[in-house]
Amino acid sequence: MGSSTLSLQIAGLSLDYPGMLASGVLGYSAESMFRVIEGGAGAVVTKSVSLQPRCGYANPTVVQVKSGLINAMGLPNPGIQVYAEEIRRSKTLIRQPLIVSIFGYSAEEYAVVAGKAVAAGADALELNVSCPHVKQTGSEIGQNAALLFEVVKTVKATVKVPVFVKLSPNVTDIVHLASTAVDAGADALTAVNTLRAIAINVETTRPILNNIKGGLSGPAMKNVALRCVYDIREKLANIPIVGCGGISSWQDAVEFFLAGASAVQIGTAIAFDSPKVFQTINQGIETYLKKKHLRSVNEIVGLSHH
Ligand code: RRO
């Protein structure tokens, strides 16, 4: 059972703890997601899944840089037909909310995948409109307000579960896109996906990733993600925000709450540490709240704006 200090409601989901597994890390199999829940996560988000299977890019797909990772996996996934079975298995293992991350190449395709994911047992969906390096999907949708509106609206008309929209930081005006998603019916926003980046090998003189460019995650991007959350909360008071980007300590999580996030997602810190990073962060937040004589995480959400 979660402590009542750390438990929260977001977009109709009940979380025992404020940290969710971010999409893309350990979110493939029921067993790996169960390990993350055991480590202290309040919910899990799966790896992004599409209508047709995709094998992703050739190696190298990930490179470690100072304080982060740059990845260009290329949206590898077995397709929703096969993944539906994993969703069903996950629901037998995991009691906490299972959020299925989905993507498509058109609004209709997003909606078909959404319907199949919900039929298999998804408690909520996260629309990936922000993968930084795959053509015709991801941030090509999330950077285009008209397309973004159509995708969110079409999915919302198809399913009844809460719909989270994961935004890209690689835009000039994230607030405009956030408010477009809200106008189209988003129940919550996840801010943010990875930052477009490159790493170059000085010996070979060539880019390291097979795809040349990828997405930067980890502590190197934390304060950019935090600024995105702050900007969105400043203009949009009512939409729940899930902070994501470089969180690896309880202090990082608290900064995101203060900026306006109601919950946080953690990905790269699990790769650098272990799923137990959630427990460590939970304990740190609880101690912080006690020290401040506060009874709930809710009480600090957005506090830096006051
Ligand atoms: O699979 C990927 O290459 C990937 C995805 Br879908 C995403 O949303 N963000 C990212 O950094 N990589």
Side-chain angles (χ1 to χ4, degrees), residues 144-169:
N144 178 323
L147 269 179
L148 175 64
F149 186 88
E150 196 195 341
V151 165
V152 177
K153 184 113 191 150
T154 308
V155 171
K156 278 294 293 175
T158 309
V159 297
K160 293 208 161 61
V161 299
V163 174
F164 293 63
V165 177
K166 187 164 184 179
L167 298 171
S168 172

Side-chain angles (χ1 to χ4, degrees), residues 90-109:
S90 304
K91 289 301 295 174
T92 66
L93 274 182
I94 298 170
R95 180 182 58 80
Q96 284 76 3
L98 175 73
I99 304 170
V100 177
S101 171
I102 64 165
F103 72 97
Y105 299 89
S106 66
E108 290 68 34
E109 209 172 286

Side-chain angles (χ1 to χ4, degrees), residues 118-139:
V118 172
D123 297 303
L125 299 173
E126 183 175 85
L127 307 187
N128 185 345
V129 290
S130 46
C131 177
H133 44 252
V134 178
K135 294 228 164 302
Q136 294 169 347
T137 183
S139 59

Side-chain angles (χ1 to χ4, degrees), residues 47-48 71-76 128 130-133 193-194 215:
K47 173 73 184 153
S48 299
N71 88 83
M73 310 299 293
L75 288 156
N128 185 345
S130 46
C131 177
H133 44 252
N193 208 313
T194 50

